[in-house]
Amino acid sequence: MKIAIIGYGGVGKALTRLLKMQKDVLAKDSLSIEVDYIVDCGGGIYVPTGIDLDSLIKFTEKEKDITQFPGGSTDITVEQIVSDNLIDLAVIMTPTNKETGQPGLSYAQALLNAGKHVVLSDKGPVMLAYQELKKNASEKGVQLGIGCTTGGALPSVNGGLMDMAGAEITSIEGILNGTTNFILKYMEDNNCEYEQALRIAQECGIAETNPSLDVEGWDTAGKLLILTNVLMGESKTLEDVEVEGITSITTEDIRTAAEENCKYKLVGKTVKSSEGLKMTVRLEKISADQLLYSVEGKNKAVRYCCDTLGELVLIGGASGVIPAAASILRDMVNIHRGYHF
Amino acid sequence: MKIAIIGYGGVGKALTRLLKMQKDVLAKDSLSIEVDYIVDCGGGIYVPTGIDLDSLIKFTEKEKDITQFPGGSTDITVEQIVSDNLIDLAVIMTPTNKETGQPGLSYAQALLNAGKHVVLSDKGPVMLAYQELKKNASEKGVQLGIGCTTGGALPSVNGGLMDMAGAEITSIEGILNGTTNFILKYMEDNNCEYEQALRIAQECGIAETNPSLDVEGWDTAGKLLILTNVLMGESKTLEDVEVEGITSITTEDIRTAAEENCKYKLVGKTVKSSEGLKMTVRLEKISADQLLYSVEGKNKAVRYCCDTLGELVLIGGASGVIPAAASILRDMVNIHRGYHF
């Protein structure tokens, strides 16, 4: 399989390391992956016989400007990849823009329309235009993998698509944000207030300096939106989600819940009923006998209910760039295995 | 998709009902399933344009002998299905024989060799000859679905194959037997001894009159064996599993565990290490902060650890003939979607 990597940040670099690490595992699937293009802002690398990953990994440990690597040039663009028509699959890891989806959206459209499989880790295009992208892919007989956009290593989208095949999902519940998991757990364990737990999370590099995306629930809302549109065939937008974050929770709330053998979690939930579809993100009190009770720290989880297969809970999702890259590789392998997403 | 159903017991009948129920869900996958053959011991039904499921469902509510249904005959056999060469896929639901795998094994071989996709719900052939059957399938370019053999609706095999694609599974842990779950939970809740809980389970129809397969751990061992052979590419046999059941557990054991905030579960476990592969089935004490703690009653669970995607826990698996049939249909849909198992 000849591929292009578009967007070459931490996860992109991890993906090149991973392709090397997993060579033997991929060989069991008769899959050999050759990276012919890497494109980042300011240029890229093009080696028609495949970039030497060993040398590249060593090079990027010291150097930042990939155009200085053999095969590198400031002229290499996504347009060239499309017109060269050499690759089978493109991995698009552009930075997320939730308003426009750009530049990932245009790249994905151009590559799908050129008959290339696409694996997207950029949430923007998926949140804004999943049904259109899926239609593009389907018209060209290629696949669109988005398994890494909703919880990384946690196979949330894939689980819903493959493990629920032939059934109709009627509700989705997810604990999908690691930062809020950390803060809530820290408050529980240390009996401290929200502000202190947030500060610790920021000091550990778990929460960002501006943490609003996570703590106000919008990261969870974005992931819930993707799961809902993909698994229920909807075309909802972020405006359809009622979103509450965790910023107003107090130590007292957590203590009272603990006395009832309960814990608070930030839960994204979509429920289909006769009155329509309701999407919410909010703190929910979960009792010890519920399966989502022990989901904390790095773990994430989704729970699907469906018409014929009962409920399915998936828990997992290791953090870090290697698991994130591995969730991209998983989509590539499933596409290689012929799966129609 | 034109199919044959071989073995027509409770789950087979549920499958015909399910095919009718899920017509619209399957249409979203552009999948229309036509049942051309049903074969059971003593004959079957053959309608080259598809058996009318509505009439069949009504007929089998009252009548037992399907050879009396239009298209029915005592002459219809699996050999005929092979020589007619009309179908795309066969669902084999023969009764399990763990010593010989027959008759399911011969049927599966004949149909795979004839270039037909096969979905097997009969554990026997899968436990005894998975690698050979997989080789048969692969040589003929067809698929072998066995997703329903290890926990029914719980997507244990599928999860390991699809959700771990591109990674290497290093350990498997499973709570895979509903009867022992029920007995242990009953002992916990009612502070009673094993014998009493077993009797209640038998009275409720959850445990069989001869419960040894479940309570002595052999059902779990069989499922663990399949998971290990399929997901780790092994060719182990039941003799490679160290098996202990739940028959010697006492109320005192359960009480002591509860005081430590722990519960006993019957766990099947395969661990790969530098010393090789170790497969065990035994009671394990699981603490409240472990994800498998709340898996009880009807629920089943597997936990996979792997090299690059961290851990994945799958919990679910509704009981009953419809979920069992739905897990067979899931394999059929995934085969239709082009997935190479």
Side-chain angles (χ1 to χ4, degrees), chain A residues 18 21-22 25-26 28 153 155 158-159 161-168 288-291 294-295 299 307-318 322-323 326-327 329-330 333-334 337-340, chain B residues 18 21-22 25-26 28 153 155 158-159 161-168 288-291 294-295 299 307-318 322-323 326-327 329-330 333-334 337-340:
Chain A
L18 189 72
M21 273 166 62
Q22 299 303 87
V25 174
L26 299 177
K28 291 183 196 164
N158 292 358
L161 284 171
M162 301 173 183
D163 300 339
M164 290 297 182
E168 190 165 13
D289 58 352
Q290 289 180 272
L291 294 167
S294 305
V295 177
N299 272 329
D307 54 351
T308 55
L309 283 159
E311 68 170 337
L312 171 65
V313 176
L314 293 131
I315 308 173
I322 285 288
S327 75
L329 181 60
R330 170 171 61 202
V333 174
N334 280 326
R337 288 181 185 169
Y339 201 79
H340 297 262
Chain B
L18 189 71
M21 272 166 64
Q22 298 304 86
V25 174
L26 299 176
K28 291 182 195 165
N158 291 358
L161 285 170
M162 301 174 184
D163 300 338
M164 290 295 182
E168 191 165 12
D289 58 352
Q290 289 181 272
L291 293 168
S294 305
V295 178
N299 272 329
D307 55 351
T308 56
L309 283 160
E311 67 169 337
L312 172 64
V313 177
L314 293 130
I315 308 172
I322 285 288
S327 75
L329 181 59
R330 170 170 62 203
V333 175
N334 281 325
R337 289 180 184 168
Y339 201 79
H340 297 259

XYZ file of all heavy atoms in Angstrom, chain A residues 18 21-22 25-26 28 153 155 158-159 161-168 288-291 294-295 299 307-318 322-323 326-327 329-330 333-334 337-340, chain B residues 18 21-22 25-26 28 153 155 158-159 161-168 288-291 294-295 299 307-318 322-323 326-327 329-330 333-334 337-340:
712
model
N 5.748 3.984 14.152
C 4.875 2.818 14.303
C 4.921 1.910 13.067
O 4.915 0.680 13.193
C 3.447 3.302 14.543
C 2.432 2.244 14.942
C 2.674 1.761 16.366
C 1.011 2.799 14.834
N 7.893 -0.143 13.568
C 7.700 -1.080 14.688
C 6.807 -2.265 14.322
O 7.046 -3.396 14.739
C 6.966 -0.365 15.847
C 7.807 0.373 16.820
S 6.732 1.478 17.848
C 5.656 0.292 18.697
N 5.731 -1.987 13.567
C 4.693 -3.006 13.343
C 4.867 -3.765 12.032
O 3.945 -4.441 11.583
C 3.297 -2.356 13.381
C 2.922 -1.698 14.695
C 2.980 -2.634 15.883
O 4.041 -2.790 16.496
N 1.884 -3.273 16.210
N 3.888 -7.364 12.323
C 2.452 -7.534 12.592
C 1.668 -7.301 11.298
O 0.755 -8.057 10.966
C 1.987 -6.562 13.704
C 0.480 -6.632 13.892
C 2.697 -6.876 15.024
N 2.061 -6.277 10.540
C 1.363 -5.975 9.279
C 1.595 -7.074 8.244
O 0.717 -7.370 7.435
C 1.824 -4.622 8.728
C 1.545 -3.418 9.636
C 2.101 -2.145 9.023
C 0.062 -3.266 9.917
N 1.619 -10.159 8.731
C 0.620 -11.225 8.931
C -0.647 -10.951 8.133
O -1.419 -11.852 7.843
C 0.271 -11.338 10.424
C 1.411 -11.884 11.260
C 0.982 -12.035 12.718
C 2.202 -12.202 13.617
N 1.891 -11.982 15.031
N -7.394 5.619 20.633
C -7.263 4.159 20.650
C -8.573 3.445 20.997
O -8.764 2.287 20.655
C -6.168 3.752 21.634
N -11.904 2.063 20.339
C -12.552 1.840 19.041
C -14.031 2.193 19.071
O -14.890 1.340 18.899
C -12.323 0.351 18.795
C -12.225 -0.240 20.164
C -11.653 0.820 21.071
N -15.526 2.484 15.297
C -15.416 1.138 14.735
C -16.323 0.153 15.455
O -16.980 -0.673 14.832
C -13.978 0.625 14.830
C -13.040 1.392 13.926
O -13.471 2.283 13.189
N -11.765 1.060 13.975
N -16.329 0.228 16.785
C -17.195 -0.653 17.575
C -18.647 -0.481 17.156
O -19.365 -1.455 16.945
N -19.785 0.657 14.324
C -20.013 0.235 12.941
C -19.944 -1.279 12.784
O -20.824 -1.899 12.195
C -18.963 0.859 12.012
C -19.123 2.339 11.662
C -17.889 2.825 10.918
C -20.369 2.572 10.820
N -18.874 -1.878 13.305
C -18.615 -3.286 13.015
C -19.279 -4.218 14.018
O -19.784 -5.265 13.645
C -17.110 -3.540 13.030
C -16.356 -2.692 12.031
S -14.578 -2.922 12.257
C -13.955 -1.753 11.049
N -19.222 -3.839 15.297
C -19.734 -4.739 16.333
C -21.252 -4.663 16.431
O -21.871 -5.499 17.095
C -19.098 -4.409 17.689
C -17.582 -4.558 17.652
O -17.082 -5.273 16.768
O -16.899 -3.954 18.508
N -21.838 -3.649 15.822
C -23.297 -3.496 15.824
C -23.871 -3.703 14.418
O -25.026 -3.336 14.165
C -23.664 -2.096 16.322
C -23.388 -1.878 17.793
S -24.416 -2.996 18.788
C -23.960 -2.507 20.430
N -23.067 -4.249 13.514
C -23.531 -4.453 12.135
C -24.810 -5.274 12.122
O -24.902 -6.296 12.796
C -22.443 -5.150 11.315
N -25.793 -4.818 11.372
C -27.068 -5.526 11.267
C -28.061 -5.157 12.355
O -29.181 -5.657 12.384
N -27.632 -4.297 13.279
C -28.520 -3.843 14.350
C -28.668 -2.325 14.240
O -27.913 -1.674 13.527
C -27.934 -4.206 15.713
N -29.646 -1.784 14.944
C -29.858 -0.340 14.909
C -29.557 0.242 16.282
O -30.183 -0.142 17.278
C -31.303 -0.038 14.505
C -31.489 1.433 14.214
C -32.792 1.723 13.475
O -33.647 0.832 13.398
O -32.924 2.858 12.994
N -22.132 2.622 41.625
C -21.058 1.616 41.565
C -21.454 0.386 40.759
O -20.591 -0.320 40.251
C -20.648 1.207 42.979
N -22.753 0.121 40.623
C -23.146 -1.069 39.864
C -23.284 -0.791 38.369
O -23.611 -1.683 37.599
C -24.435 -1.676 40.433
C -25.578 -0.670 40.425
O -25.323 0.521 40.128
O -26.716 -1.069 40.717
N -23.023 0.449 37.945
C -23.069 0.742 36.503
C -21.686 0.531 35.898
O -20.663 0.800 36.537
C -23.534 2.180 36.268
C -25.012 2.372 36.577
C -25.433 3.816 36.324
O -25.347 4.676 37.200
N -25.871 4.076 35.107
N -21.695 0.073 34.650
C -20.420 -0.308 34.030
C -19.489 0.880 33.813
O -18.272 0.713 33.756
C -20.683 -1.028 32.710
C -21.377 -2.393 32.862
C -21.875 -2.890 31.526
C -20.441 -3.404 33.502
N -16.250 2.727 36.824
C -14.792 2.633 37.002
C -13.993 3.260 35.858
O -12.778 3.115 35.806
C -14.362 1.170 37.127
O -15.064 0.554 38.161
N -14.670 3.937 34.940
C -13.950 4.551 33.816
C -13.387 5.888 34.259
O -14.128 6.846 34.465
C -14.887 4.757 32.606
C -14.147 5.449 31.475
C -15.454 3.422 32.170
N -8.598 6.221 30.826
C -9.599 5.461 30.091
C -10.751 6.321 29.584
O -11.117 7.315 30.192
C -10.169 4.347 30.970
C -9.351 3.081 30.868
O -8.775 2.806 29.830
N -9.290 2.321 31.940
N -31.229 -2.425 19.014
C -32.488 -3.162 18.969
C -32.344 -4.666 19.188
O -33.182 -5.287 19.831
C -33.227 -2.869 17.651
C -32.362 -3.145 16.424
O -31.151 -3.392 16.582
O -32.911 -3.114 15.304
N -31.281 -5.270 18.675
C -31.255 -6.745 18.675
C -30.066 -7.378 19.403
O -30.095 -8.569 19.691
C -31.227 -7.274 17.223
O -30.117 -6.678 16.560
C -32.500 -6.919 16.493
N -29.017 -6.601 19.661
C -27.805 -7.180 20.264
C -27.626 -6.751 21.715
O -26.571 -6.980 22.307
C -26.569 -6.772 19.468
C -26.323 -7.522 18.144
C -25.431 -6.712 17.237
C -25.708 -8.890 18.395
N -28.613 -6.100 22.305
C -28.486 -5.650 23.679
C -27.548 -4.470 23.787
O -27.434 -3.665 22.860
N -26.845 -4.376 24.920
C -25.933 -3.248 25.107
C -24.497 -3.697 24.885
O -24.159 -4.870 25.045
C -26.077 -2.654 26.513
C -25.597 -3.585 27.618
C -25.496 -2.924 28.997
O -25.369 -1.685 29.098
O -25.552 -3.669 29.983
N -23.665 -2.736 24.504
C -22.239 -2.997 24.366
C -21.486 -1.833 24.992
O -21.740 -0.677 24.665
C -21.847 -3.116 22.889
C -20.335 -3.183 22.609
C -19.730 -4.447 23.202
C -20.051 -3.126 21.115
N -20.583 -2.149 25.906
C -19.732 -1.126 26.510
C -18.304 -1.380 26.060
O -17.818 -2.514 26.145
C -19.815 -1.179 28.049
C -18.860 -0.175 28.681
C -21.234 -0.925 28.512
N -17.661 -0.357 25.547
C -16.247 -0.445 25.164
C -15.467 0.502 26.055
O -15.817 1.689 26.156
C -16.060 -0.014 23.711
C -16.683 -0.916 22.654
C -17.497 -0.084 21.674
C -15.604 -1.670 21.908
N -14.433 -0.015 26.702
C -13.619 0.820 27.583
C -12.161 0.659 27.174
O -11.693 -0.458 26.945
C -13.778 0.401 29.063
C -15.272 0.359 29.439
C -13.023 1.358 29.986
C -15.551 -0.196 30.822
N -11.451 1.749 27.070
C -10.042 1.655 26.709
C -9.535 3.014 26.281
O -10.027 4.045 26.729
N -8.576 2.998 25.384
C -8.130 4.264 24.830
C -6.917 4.822 25.518
O -6.968 5.892 26.124
N -5.801 4.103 25.435
C -4.550 4.593 25.997
C -4.210 5.963 25.418
O -4.535 6.258 24.271
C -3.435 3.598 25.674
N 1.723 7.304 20.325
C 1.767 5.967 19.706
C 0.355 5.340 19.648
O -0.073 4.907 18.575
C 2.807 5.041 20.390
C 4.236 5.440 19.980
C 2.567 3.571 20.074
C 4.647 5.104 18.541
N -0.389 5.307 20.759
C -1.767 4.815 20.637
C -2.600 5.616 19.627
O -3.403 5.037 18.891
C -2.322 4.953 22.058
C -1.126 4.859 22.931
C -0.012 5.529 22.176
N -1.569 4.432 16.393
C -2.039 3.050 16.221
C -3.518 3.019 15.848
O -3.969 2.107 15.159
C -1.790 2.240 17.498
N -4.269 4.013 16.297
C -5.687 4.045 15.928
C -5.844 4.457 14.461
O -6.817 4.082 13.808
C -6.481 4.957 16.859
O -6.240 6.312 16.574
N -3.452 3.616 12.191
C -2.995 2.392 11.525
C -4.118 1.342 11.493
O -4.282 0.618 10.512
C -1.755 1.839 12.237
C -1.147 0.571 11.635
C -0.709 0.797 10.194
C 0.043 0.086 12.474
N -4.869 1.264 12.590
C -6.006 0.324 12.635
C -6.975 0.559 11.472
O -7.396 -0.388 10.807
C -6.734 0.482 13.973
C -8.048 -0.260 14.050
C -8.605 -0.254 15.455
N -8.876 1.090 15.930
C -8.968 1.434 17.218
N -8.800 0.537 18.159
N -9.233 2.667 17.568
N -5.383 -0.735 8.276
C -5.422 -2.203 8.177
C -6.838 -2.663 7.833
O -7.036 -3.525 6.968
C -4.928 -2.862 9.486
C -5.105 -4.378 9.431
C -3.470 -2.500 9.750
N -7.840 -2.072 8.491
C -9.215 -2.480 8.200
C -9.596 -2.141 6.754
O -10.328 -2.892 6.115
C -10.190 -1.868 9.210
C -10.207 -2.652 10.527
O -10.045 -3.877 10.541
N -10.378 -1.959 11.632
N -8.083 -4.736 4.654
C -8.844 -5.989 4.754
C -10.168 -5.935 3.989
O -10.959 -6.873 4.049
C -9.137 -6.303 6.230
C -7.910 -6.740 7.005
C -8.281 -7.047 8.455
N -7.131 -7.368 9.270
C -7.164 -7.472 10.602
N -8.290 -7.262 11.253
N -6.068 -7.766 11.279
N -10.401 -4.806 3.334
C -11.567 -4.734 2.461
C -12.813 -4.204 3.129
O -13.896 -4.260 2.551
N -12.677 -3.703 4.367
C -13.876 -3.277 5.065
C -14.461 -2.008 4.462
O -13.767 -1.034 4.278
C -13.601 -3.040 6.549
C -14.867 -3.102 7.344
C -15.415 -4.326 7.681
C -15.547 -1.953 7.716
C -16.602 -4.404 8.386
C -16.735 -2.024 8.415
C -17.255 -3.257 8.751
O -18.433 -3.329 9.442
N -15.754 -2.025 4.193
C -16.467 -0.829 3.734
C -17.043 -0.128 4.945
O -17.987 -0.621 5.550
C -17.604 -1.208 2.793
C -17.129 -1.857 1.548
N -16.972 -1.177 0.372
C -16.734 -3.113 1.305
C -16.528 -2.013 -0.550
N -16.366 -3.194 -0.009
N -35.515 -12.791 12.616
C -34.659 -11.601 12.610
C -34.467 -11.050 11.195
O -34.450 -9.829 10.984
C -33.300 -11.969 13.218
C -32.357 -10.822 13.502
C -32.852 -9.980 14.671
C -30.951 -11.346 13.813
N -37.436 -9.016 10.609
C -37.416 -7.808 11.454
C -36.451 -6.744 10.945
O -36.724 -5.550 11.014
C -36.896 -8.184 12.860
C -37.911 -8.644 13.865
S -37.043 -9.421 15.296
C -36.094 -8.035 15.974
N -35.262 -7.175 10.498
C -34.178 -6.232 10.200
C -34.095 -5.861 8.721
O -33.099 -5.300 8.287
C -32.826 -6.812 10.657
C -32.698 -7.077 12.148
C -32.955 -5.871 13.019
O -34.093 -5.589 13.365
N -31.912 -5.140 13.372
N -33.102 -2.280 8.243
C -31.730 -2.008 8.708
C -30.738 -2.551 7.680
O -29.760 -1.886 7.328
C -31.487 -2.638 10.105
C -30.037 -2.493 10.527
C -32.398 -2.011 11.151
N -31.007 -3.744 7.156
C -30.112 -4.352 6.168
C -30.139 -3.566 4.854
O -29.112 -3.455 4.170
C -30.490 -5.815 5.927
C -30.406 -6.722 7.155
C -30.887 -8.126 6.820
C -28.980 -6.771 7.716
N -30.165 -0.470 4.495
C -29.199 0.646 4.595
C -27.821 0.208 4.133
O -26.982 1.022 3.772
C -29.114 1.156 6.042
C -30.362 1.867 6.495
C -30.177 2.394 7.928
C -31.530 2.763 8.519
N -31.483 2.934 9.963
N -23.786 -12.346 21.542
C -23.882 -10.942 21.151
C -22.634 -10.132 21.525
O -22.367 -9.093 20.925
C -25.121 -10.322 21.786
N -19.207 -8.887 21.126
C -18.329 -8.994 19.950
C -16.890 -9.280 20.354
O -15.986 -8.486 20.114
C -18.471 -7.614 19.300
C -18.802 -6.696 20.426
C -19.552 -7.501 21.456
N -14.770 -10.510 17.107
C -14.743 -9.364 16.202
C -13.952 -8.211 16.798
O -13.176 -7.557 16.104
C -16.165 -8.877 15.916
C -16.944 -9.873 15.089
O -16.417 -10.910 14.706
N -18.198 -9.574 14.822
N -14.169 -7.936 18.079
C -13.436 -6.858 18.742
C -11.942 -7.093 18.659
O -11.174 -6.190 18.339
N -10.350 -8.903 16.481
C -9.861 -8.855 15.099
C -9.866 -7.434 14.544
O -8.872 -6.972 13.980
C -10.736 -9.725 14.192
C -10.563 -11.237 14.286
C -11.663 -11.940 13.505
C -9.192 -11.656 13.755
N -10.985 -6.752 14.680
C -11.163 -5.470 13.989
C -10.673 -4.288 14.812
O -10.065 -3.374 14.279
C -12.642 -5.266 13.675
C -13.232 -6.366 12.817
S -15.011 -6.118 12.652
C -15.446 -7.589 11.728
N -10.966 -4.323 16.109
C -10.624 -3.174 16.947
C -9.155 -3.186 17.341
O -8.635 -2.203 17.862
C -11.500 -3.146 18.204
C -12.983 -3.056 17.862
O -13.305 -2.607 16.747
O -13.811 -3.435 18.709
N -8.489 -4.313 17.124
C -7.069 -4.420 17.429
C -6.251 -4.573 16.136
O -5.075 -4.953 16.206
C -6.823 -5.634 18.329
C -7.365 -5.464 19.739
S -6.469 -4.137 20.590
C -7.245 -4.182 22.189
N -6.854 -4.305 15.004
C -6.159 -4.459 13.721
C -4.868 -3.632 13.718
O -4.866 -2.472 14.112
C -7.073 -4.011 12.580
N -3.780 -4.253 13.309
C -2.489 -3.559 13.267
C -1.728 -3.611 14.572
O -0.613 -3.104 14.666
N -2.328 -4.210 15.587
C -1.656 -4.352 16.885
C -1.518 -5.838 17.196
O -2.139 -6.678 16.552
C -2.466 -3.659 17.969
N -0.707 -6.155 18.180
C -0.526 -7.556 18.568
C -1.086 -7.764 19.968
O -0.639 -7.120 20.929
C 0.961 -7.914 18.529
C 1.155 -9.407 18.657
C 2.569 -9.847 18.269
O 3.446 -8.977 18.117
O 2.771 -11.067 18.136
N -12.977 -3.617 43.308
C -13.997 -2.692 42.799
C -13.435 -1.704 41.782
O -14.185 -1.170 40.965
C -14.644 -1.940 43.951
N -12.128 -1.455 41.819
C -11.584 -0.490 40.858
C -11.178 -1.146 39.531
O -10.693 -0.476 38.635
C -10.407 0.276 41.472
C -9.310 -0.667 41.933
O -9.528 -1.900 41.918
O -8.229 -0.173 42.313
N -11.392 -2.464 39.405
C -11.105 -3.115 38.130
C -12.353 -3.110 37.247
O -13.479 -3.218 37.746
C -10.633 -4.557 38.370
C -9.238 -4.618 38.983
C -8.811 -6.068 39.187
O -9.084 -6.669 40.217
N -8.160 -6.621 38.179
N -12.093 -2.990 35.941
C -13.216 -2.810 35.022
C -14.129 -4.033 34.953
O -15.294 -3.919 34.622
C -12.697 -2.456 33.628
C -12.013 -1.083 33.549
C -11.274 -0.927 32.235
C -13.035 0.034 33.718
N -17.886 -5.123 37.729
C -19.354 -5.014 37.598
C -19.948 -5.938 36.541
O -21.127 -5.828 36.221
C -19.763 -3.582 37.266
O -19.254 -2.695 38.208
N -19.131 -6.817 35.981
C -19.650 -7.721 34.946
C -20.320 -8.908 35.613
O -19.647 -9.766 36.179
C -18.521 -8.210 34.019
C -19.060 -9.185 32.986
C -17.849 -7.022 33.352
N -24.432 -10.255 31.580
C -23.292 -9.682 30.867
C -22.089 -10.617 30.810
O -21.858 -11.409 31.708
C -22.866 -8.365 31.517
C -23.622 -7.185 30.935
O -23.995 -7.211 29.763
N -23.859 -6.175 31.750
N 0.144 -4.430 22.161
C 1.406 -3.700 22.146
C 1.262 -2.202 21.938
O 1.998 -1.418 22.528
C 2.356 -4.313 21.097
C 1.742 -4.375 19.709
O 0.529 -4.101 19.578
O 2.466 -4.702 18.756
N 0.326 -1.774 21.098
C 0.325 -0.358 20.713
C -0.960 0.410 21.012
O -0.949 1.636 20.980
C 0.583 -0.232 19.191
O -0.402 -1.004 18.500
C 1.966 -0.722 18.828
N -2.048 -0.295 21.286
C -3.328 0.401 21.491
C -3.780 0.360 22.948
O -4.918 0.720 23.247
C -4.414 -0.233 20.613
C -4.404 0.135 19.129
C -5.162 -0.903 18.312
C -5.020 1.500 18.904
N -2.920 -0.097 23.854
C -3.310 -0.177 25.256
C -4.280 -1.311 25.493
O -4.224 -2.336 24.821
N -5.175 -1.123 26.462
C -6.129 -2.179 26.771
C -7.494 -1.845 26.190
O -7.832 -0.680 25.977
C -6.250 -2.384 28.286
C -6.880 -1.217 28.997
C -7.244 -1.498 30.464
O -7.424 -2.666 30.848
O -7.358 -0.524 31.219
N -8.253 -2.886 25.934
C -9.632 -2.702 25.479
C -10.504 -3.684 26.236
O -10.216 -4.881 26.274
C -9.751 -2.979 23.979
C -11.187 -3.017 23.424
C -11.868 -1.665 23.545
C -11.201 -3.478 21.970
N -11.556 -3.160 26.867
C -12.520 -4.009 27.555
C -13.845 -3.919 26.808
O -14.306 -2.813 26.511
C -12.715 -3.557 29.018
C -13.784 -4.397 29.703
C -11.403 -3.646 29.783
N -14.406 -5.046 26.484
C -15.725 -5.097 25.844
C -16.680 -5.809 26.780
O -16.381 -6.917 27.252
C -15.660 -5.888 24.538
C -14.843 -5.288 23.403
C -13.895 -6.319 22.843
C -15.769 -4.788 22.308
N -17.800 -5.172 27.083
C -18.779 -5.760 27.989
C -20.136 -5.746 27.300
O -20.525 -4.738 26.720
C -18.867 -4.977 29.318
C -17.475 -4.805 29.929
C -19.806 -5.673 30.302
C -17.431 -3.890 31.142
N -20.837 -6.845 27.357
C -22.164 -6.881 26.741
C -22.612 -8.310 26.592
O -22.219 -9.175 27.359
N -23.415 -8.542 25.576
C -23.795 -9.918 25.291
C -25.122 -10.305 25.878
O -25.205 -11.182 26.733
N -26.176 -9.656 25.409
C -27.527 -10.018 25.849
C -27.781 -11.503 25.596
O -27.267 -12.070 24.645
C -28.538 -9.171 25.083
N -32.753 -14.282 20.070
C -32.655 -13.155 19.121
C -31.256 -12.533 19.151
O -30.617 -12.383 18.093
C -33.788 -12.111 19.343
C -35.123 -12.646 18.804
C -33.458 -10.768 18.699
C -35.271 -12.707 17.278
N -30.689 -12.188 20.320
C -29.296 -11.709 20.320
C -28.323 -12.730 19.717
O -27.390 -12.342 19.001
C -29.001 -11.458 21.798
C -30.333 -11.152 22.386
C -31.310 -12.022 21.660
N -28.730 -12.451 16.161
C -28.208 -11.151 15.719
C -26.688 -11.177 15.614
O -26.096 -10.463 14.797
C -28.664 -10.049 16.676
N -26.044 -12.011 16.440
C -24.584 -12.100 16.350
C -24.177 -12.881 15.096
O -23.095 -12.669 14.546
C -23.998 -12.705 17.625
O -24.223 -14.096 17.661
N -26.111 -12.714 12.299
C -26.410 -11.725 11.260
C -25.283 -10.692 11.165
O -24.916 -10.254 10.074
C -27.751 -11.037 11.571
C -28.221 -9.991 10.565
C -28.389 -10.582 9.172
C -29.531 -9.339 11.017
N -24.723 -10.316 12.317
C -23.597 -9.361 12.317
C -22.456 -9.872 11.445
O -21.888 -9.115 10.647
C -23.124 -9.149 13.757
C -21.820 -8.387 13.866
C -21.519 -7.993 15.300
N -21.359 -9.153 16.168
C -21.532 -9.142 17.485
N -21.868 -8.020 18.087
N -21.370 -10.225 18.205
N -23.413 -9.496 7.800
C -23.312 -8.107 7.323
C -21.850 -7.719 7.135
O -21.482 -7.113 6.122
C -24.019 -7.141 8.300
C -23.804 -5.694 7.888
C -25.511 -7.456 8.383
N -21.003 -8.087 8.082
C -19.587 -7.740 7.948
C -18.962 -8.441 6.735
O -18.105 -7.857 6.064
C -18.819 -8.039 9.241
C -19.030 -6.948 10.291
O -19.155 -5.760 9.958
N -19.074 -7.325 11.556
N -20.022 -6.514 3.794
C -19.257 -5.263 3.691
C -17.827 -5.492 3.208
O -17.018 -4.567 3.168
C -19.223 -4.564 5.055
C -20.551 -3.975 5.459
C -20.426 -3.292 6.824
N -21.702 -2.785 7.306
C -21.914 -2.355 8.546
N -20.916 -2.371 9.424
N -23.091 -1.909 8.912
N -17.511 -6.741 2.942
C -16.206 -7.023 2.331
C -15.104 -7.329 3.316
O -13.939 -7.415 2.938
N -15.459 -7.481 4.609
C -14.404 -7.685 5.593
C -13.756 -9.050 5.460
O -14.433 -10.064 5.388
C -14.956 -7.532 7.017
C -13.857 -7.237 7.986
C -13.338 -5.954 8.079
C -13.291 -8.230 8.769
C -12.300 -5.667 8.938
C -12.252 -7.947 9.634
C -11.766 -6.666 9.712
O -10.723 -6.384 10.557
N -12.444 -9.072 5.436
C -11.695 -10.323 5.445
C -11.354 -10.672 6.872
O -10.513 -10.035 7.484
C -10.398 -10.181 4.640
C -10.643 -9.904 3.206
N -10.570 -10.865 2.235
C -10.991 -8.768 2.588
C -10.854 -10.315 1.068
N -11.114 -9.046 1.252
